[in-house]
Amino acid sequence: MTNDIEKSPQTFRKRNWKTSILVSVGSFYLFQGLYATALNLYKDNFLVNIAMVDVQFFGVFTFLYAIPLYLKMIPGLLSDRVPFGKYGRRKPYLLIGTLLYIPCFLFLMFSDQVNVTWPWFLCLFGIQWVWVLVDGTLDALTVDVTPENKKGILQGVAWGSRGIGGVIASILLMILAGILGWQVSIALIGLFAILQAVTGLSLKEPNIVRKDLPPLKKVFKETFFNKQIQIGLVFSLIASVTTASFLFFVPVFSGIAGVVGLNLGLVYAVGMLGSFVGALMIGKISDKVGAKKTFIITGITFWIGVALWIPLQPGISMIYIFIIALIYGINIGGFMASTNRIAMELSDTAFTKSGEPGIEGFMFSSFSAIQNFGTQGLGPLIVGFLSIFIGLPYAFFALIPFTLVAALLLKFVKPWDPKK
């Protein structure tokens, strides 16, 4: 085993932890927020206000578009098990992702910007695969370097920075699209995506080479026969379904309340600002009291957030709309910080007792993939189907029971406890 790998992974993390890691992670997720929010806002605006698809098509499209996110564990396992010699097992994949973004966005720029076509969809689909590679690799790297008592603030900084990036992107994209058109805006989104991948290269990773890796069969057995992992995966799916409502911001605010153009961007920006506040606040608190308690708090406040949608109607005050977006954003940010901290903690069980490198990247990516399936797959399908009978936003109430089930599952999951 190489000299940089300590007997315990925690020893490496404590020895190498620096505040600058938060700066690097924050920068990565700031650009990710710029890129991901702008791309999603572009996609949603295109579908709803240009192609003018119905809610059911929107839900099915969201499910198909997110297929790469459901398979996020594949590149995670790749970076775990196929290091590039002295160059490491994480950073080379960040560099590969940086290069792959370029042709993907070039093709998207010159695709049909009026109708939903296969080339347009395939461009977005390819970008999703590259994002999975880049984001999954960075997730694995954060597990490699973060001590137990810093996981909350790291997740808070990550999701908070992504929220700030979302604030900027929500306003900037709608302004630029109106002035310069969608082609220039797509080029800017591509630049954000490339900068996201580049910033991840500044993190120091454990010096792990191929000979350090234990047999894959051994690691899989020690991981997937662990009850904490098994229950944790179910918890991640159930909990993440509740966040699907965030994806319907555009259909609800634009389709029901009639908010369009710059105002739509401002509403989205307020929601992202709320997610910054919620993620940073709840992430920091979880370092003091643990993620279990903070998850229960955000689960309860989610019910309040859903109820705020009911009065929406054409001509309703923009102030009330901004209040909904802010409160709902705060709740979503805190919710994601809590669930992702739990996923990070459970991914640590991928390390073998001897301190050998495990499949921590694969595990955290598996948790993320399951969360993505809940958020962008199962959740939108449930909301889209129920909206046929009861409409939006009332379909969101069907998501409330998922918070209750997730809270009950936490009884059988034992994430890090600050008192121990």
Side-chain angles (χ1 to χ4, degrees), residues 57-261:
F57 183 93
F58 184 90
V60 173
F61 184 95
T62 300
F63 174 82
L64 295 175
Y65 168 69
I67 284 176
L69 304 183
Y70 315 147
L71 303 174
K72 192 177 178 182
M73 70 288 289
I74 295 175
L77 183 61
L78 191 64
S79 73
D80 281 337
R81 303 297 301 182
V82 188
F84 281 70
K86 65 179 181 179
Y87 299 105
R89 60 175 184 161
R90 308 295 189 201
K91 292 184 180 180
Y93 293 99
L94 292 175
L95 183 58
I96 291 171
T98 303
L99 298 175
L100 289 177
Y101 271 132
I102 298 173
C104 288
F105 276 98
L106 284 175
F107 281 115
L108 182 62
M109 282 177 61
F110 296 102
S111 63
D112 189 342
Q113 298 298 321
V114 178
N115 302 299
V116 177
T117 63
W118 278 111
W120 182 80
F121 172 76
L122 291 175
C123 287
L124 287 172
F125 197 67
I127 291 171
Q128 284 287 76
W129 272 114
V130 181
W131 181 84
V132 162
L133 173 65
V134 172
D135 186 64
T137 302
L138 195 279
D139 283 346
L141 187 49
T142 59
V143 176
D144 289 343
V145 302
T146 310
E148 293 288 354
N149 64 340
K150 300 295 182 181
K151 283 181 167 59
I153 187 60
L154 183 129
Q155 285 297 328
V157 167
W159 281 93
S161 298
R162 180 170 175 165
I164 287 295
V167 171
I168 299 171
S170 300
I171 300 173
L172 187 63
L173 180 71
M174 299 308 286
I175 293 175
L176 289 179
I179 298 174
L180 302 175
W182 284 113
Q183 280 192 333
V184 175
S185 301
I186 292 170
L188 184 62
I189 296 172
L191 177 61
F192 292 151
I194 291 170
L195 290 174
Q196 167 209 224
V198 169
T199 54
L201 296 173
S202 62
L203 287 172
K204 180 182 179 181
E205 64 174 298
N207 184 20
I208 296 173
V209 296
R210 192 180 298 273
K211 67 179 182 179
D212 297 326
L213 302 175
L216 187 58
K217 181 179 179 180
K218 171 186 175 184
V219 180
F220 266 101
K221 183 178 179 180
E222 292 181 355
T223 301
F224 287 101
F225 280 83
N226 185 300
K227 288 186 178 180
Q228 293 295 300
I229 289 288
Q230 295 169 351
I231 298 174
L233 290 170
V234 177
F235 161 80
S236 291
L237 174 62
I238 299 299
S240 61
V241 166
T242 62
T243 61
S245 50
F246 201 79
L247 299 180
F248 286 83
F249 256 42
V250 174
V252 172
F253 286 126
S254 186
I256 296 177
V259 182
V260 296

Side-chain angles (χ1 to χ4, degrees), residues 228 231-232 235 292 342 346 409-415:
Q228 293 295 300
I231 298 174
F235 161 80
K292 269 191 176 183
I342 292 171
L346 293 177
L409 286 173
L410 270 180
K411 180 180 179 181
F412 305 100
V413 177
K414 298 179 181 178

